[in-house]
Amino acid sequence: RVKCYLDLAQLEVLQGTLDEARRLFETGAAHGGHSDATYVQAWVRFEKRHGNENRTRELFRASVDLSPQDPRVWLQWGMWERSRDRVEAARACFSRGVKHTSGNAFLWQAWAVLEAYTAQNVESARRLFVKGTKACPEDAPLWMEWALMEQSKGEGAQRARQLFEQGSHIQPPHVPLFSAWARLEESHGNLEKAAELDKQLSEIEAMQRGVFRGTP
């Protein structure tokens, strides 16, 4: 029955009748949807786009109460708070999220990026990158993001190189990491190293295209 309300509400959204969609979400919640994680998350997405902040926040709270181990909900809530310049609220979401799901690299990265670029607290960001890469050592994008932070706001090119190097050994290779590393070397006049990385990058891309197409 809850699914019927959800389907009807989404149909009303497609038709642009948002008040009716909201009425259906509310009715469905009263008939059991309030305890259904999928239902509440769909309602959150609706209110994020069409509702007010207070209602959206209430639904995010309900959603994490239903699914505290789901990192996607913590991440979405934190990113939404960040988009409204609510740094403390976003920080609280990411902090609570990693306590429940410490092995999720997206949460560590989002929190570290918040500290580095929004809160302008590089030391806090660095501590989070250290913790994140310990919890998720095989996540190349996390190593890359740390390297980019050190390159632009932290300890500079040499530290960034070390972090790019660390991430470059992870399989499968992360194409953006090699590209960012090559551009770092190029910007510092290390053209031979940049060319070597570009060559590796081309080989990785060719290999990945072959795997995607199913060629030997």
Side-chain angles (χ1 to χ4, degrees), residues 8 13 127-128 152 183 194:
L8 287 170
V13 172
R127 286 193 294 271
L128 290 168
S152 64
R183 301 293 73 77

Side-chain angles (χ1 to χ4, degrees), residues 31-55:
H31 288 81
H34 69 282
S35 60
D36 184 300
T38 300
Y39 187 90
V40 174
Q41 288 170 21
W43 193 0
V44 168
R45 290 193 294 272
F46 168 78
E47 294 294 352
K48 276 174 62 180
R49 293 182 180 178
H50 307 293
N52 61 60
E53 288 193 15
N54 290 336
R55 171 59 66 86

Side-chain angles (χ1 to χ4, degrees), residues 105-106 108-110 112 128-129 131-134 136 139-147:
F106 293 108
W108 287 111
Q109 181 174 323
L128 290 168
F129 277 124
K131 290 179 180 179
T133 52
K134 284 182 178 178
C136 313
D139 191 84
L142 191 57
W143 288 101
M144 181 187 75
E145 199 63 50
W146 186 3

